[in-house]
Amino acid sequence: MNKKRDSSFPTRDAIVAFVRAYPGKIGTREIAREFGLKNAARVELKRMLRELADEGAIAKKGRSVREPAALPPTVLVDITSRDADGELIATPVEWDEADGTVPKIRIHTPRRPLPGTAAGVGDRALLRIEKIENDGELASYQGRVVRVLEGARTRLLGIYRALPNGGGRLIPVDKKQAGRELNIAASDANGAEDGDLVSVDLIRTRGYGLGSGKVKERLGSLSSEKAVSLIAIHSHDIPQAFSRDALKEAEAAQPATLQGREDWRDVPLVTIDPPDAKDHDDAVYAELDPDPHNAGGYIVTVAIADVAFYVRPGSALDRDALIRGNSVYFPDRVVPMLPERISNDLCSLVPGEPRGALAVRMVIGVDGRKKSHTFHRILMRSAAKLNYAQAQAAIDGHPDDTTGPLLEPILKLLYAAYAQVKLARDERDPLDLDIPERKILLKKDGTVDRVIVPERLDAHKLIEEFMILANVAAAETLEKKALPLIYRVHDEPSVEKVHNLQEFLKTLDMPFAKAGALRPSVFNRVLSQVKGQDSEPLVNEVVLRSQAQAEYAAENYGHFGLNLRRYAHFTSPIRRYADLIVHRALIRALGLGEGALPETETVETLSEISAQISATERRAMKAERETSDRLIAHFLADKIGATFRGRISGVTRAGLFVRLTETGADGLIPIRTLGTEYFNYDEARHALVGTRSGAMHRLGDVVDVRLVEAAPVAGALRFEMLSEGNTAPRNRRREHARSNDAADRPRHPGAKPSGATKFKSSKKVKAPKKAKPGRNARQAAKADKARAGGNPGKPKKG
């Protein structure tokens, strides 16, 4: 790559050929070095790379470029089959269909595989791969197994339904298994009763008729909504029990002492958390900077529980934490990443108790920018435990017995420092989406009480901004010390998604012109134009769906949503393994004592960990979302026939998804039930348009619906549309005036929000053509495979 080249500017073909010849990490710097480009020529090179990316000739991710539709060097895969020679063939777990056919990966299996790397068909595994020329099996990559994450599934989770003559049937809870019931003989029921959630081992399957299974374990009755989260826990293989060795290590752990630490027990750090928080792993404090060169500035301190002191690399606690990757939060329970002895006791910053912590002390200028920072390993003692509403009430003039004494010396300084930090935040202009987050409140018996949208207070924003500052400081320190770390990264939207957004905004007569590099401010200008208008929720939803999903990576390509060049998760090692890695790296970088990142941890090994914990994070998000869907479906199950106000939250070729205003529940309106005419899918407008009347149902429309069916186990609802569609403009109507033959109607469902599953046909709705049994179920199942939108990874708290 360092070979001298002619100084003349390279052709486009030469640049593309170079990118494809080096499938690893390369960017502008490497390309410029290869072709001997300097100064002004590099500006021209950046312009050409943007053009090549827009045309699809190369793929650009942050500052890196690669061959389009290429897989990263480390990838999570499902092993699907064997080729003619018996070699294992795998496909990536995540693949954007817009990039073309899913690539196949041939797995090289050594004669003596290392422990934990022996894989088979049906396994999910982490691979290290390299690109090869397509061969007879059309495999375009070859790789080796780094770690097997999940074994082949020979066990199903479902609801046991007893039969009158003995034995029963298993109704799978996995939507992908919808309709694939199993027969359970009486001798194989293992004491299961009707309505029990059970795990079943497959005994045999048949080409025709029902397969058979044997109840392995009774997990609880679904008569109580407290058991609903068990479905998600078991269907997603979320580990609940800690290993015996991990529990022994946790019980043997002793509280941190002053040995090797700075004594900060007199610093009045306070914790500010949700009122129902069980662990308190971050504390904050602010004071005026006494330095005359920073008159009017502040010093903000963020202290984070010293989890690395207790969870040492390679220990049983460490192994269990890596398998989990993160804690998982359900309305009725938490599945923690670490045992309670660590998370709720030794690493919980409870008031008055000495606790070990890693603290960052940040000097903030009058312009709100961080001027400098230092990290410290300390022994602290929290001055108070507050919740968000309590802290906000005190600032708003309503202190209580706890916050009253803290108002002048602590809280007012925190809020003043936040007001200063907010100046720099506003100047940075991160992505400013307004998507309300709902919270399910349960009664004591575990049933749903109500669904609320918590008010977003300045107290929330204060903690969020201080945590972001601390995360940036951690990334900066480790980069400066040239130590490997795990970044929290968020790529800019793909060219295709930006184009789709532009097409959508055209239908609202809203321009979306970007000059130069894509920035969050471009999206914020769009969002500001619709502030307070009827279209505000619609535009926020579509902008959200245009974003990429945040992830963990050992290679940095920045955080687009936060508009930050470098960002790492440092502020919650109790519940995220990535933060624990960052803590260990800081301890090693700054010589802070025990629990440091081992020398054996490299960018390569951290890439593997990043891929694994990104997968566990997505697993947790899906499990949490499915549990919320099931709880609300339980809540609404006795309200069949009731009418609700909602908003269209998804438009697909299969139908409409409506999110209810009061509960936030999503449900499906199948396309065939919309009326006596056929509706076509208008992708640009995110709408279904009637072929005769031009009636249009569009993403974001406020509608009235009737609840037709609820499936609590699957967490799904089906609605009937009561509102009339808006009339589409005449020219658009002509575009959709096609044959009324059902075969002409697009059938691929496209993307959807959560909540779809199999339903029987409703007798209440007159259909233009009698549906075949299960047709609607197939439509809904197809729609469930194509979930819309990305997650820009906006941190809730650090």
Side-chain angles (χ1 to χ4, degrees), residues 414-445:
L414 282 170
Y415 274 78
Y418 163 66
Q420 207 163 72
V421 167
K422 189 175 181 297
L423 296 175
R425 187 261 184 203
D426 292 343
E427 184 180 349
R428 193 177 81 241
D429 201 13
L431 190 62
D432 191 21
L433 285 165
D434 184 14
I435 305 293
E437 294 187 18
R438 289 175 170 81
K439 183 175 183 178
I440 298 175
L441 300 181
L442 302 180
K443 299 176 184 175
K444 290 182 178 180
D445 63 358

Side-chain angles (χ1 to χ4, degrees), residues 84 136 202 298 374 408 422 462 504 532 679 698 733:
L202 296 176
Y298 286 85
T374 54
E408 291 295 333
K422 189 175 181 297
L462 178 153
F504 164 72
F679 281 77
R698 187 176 191 176
R733 201 182 310 171

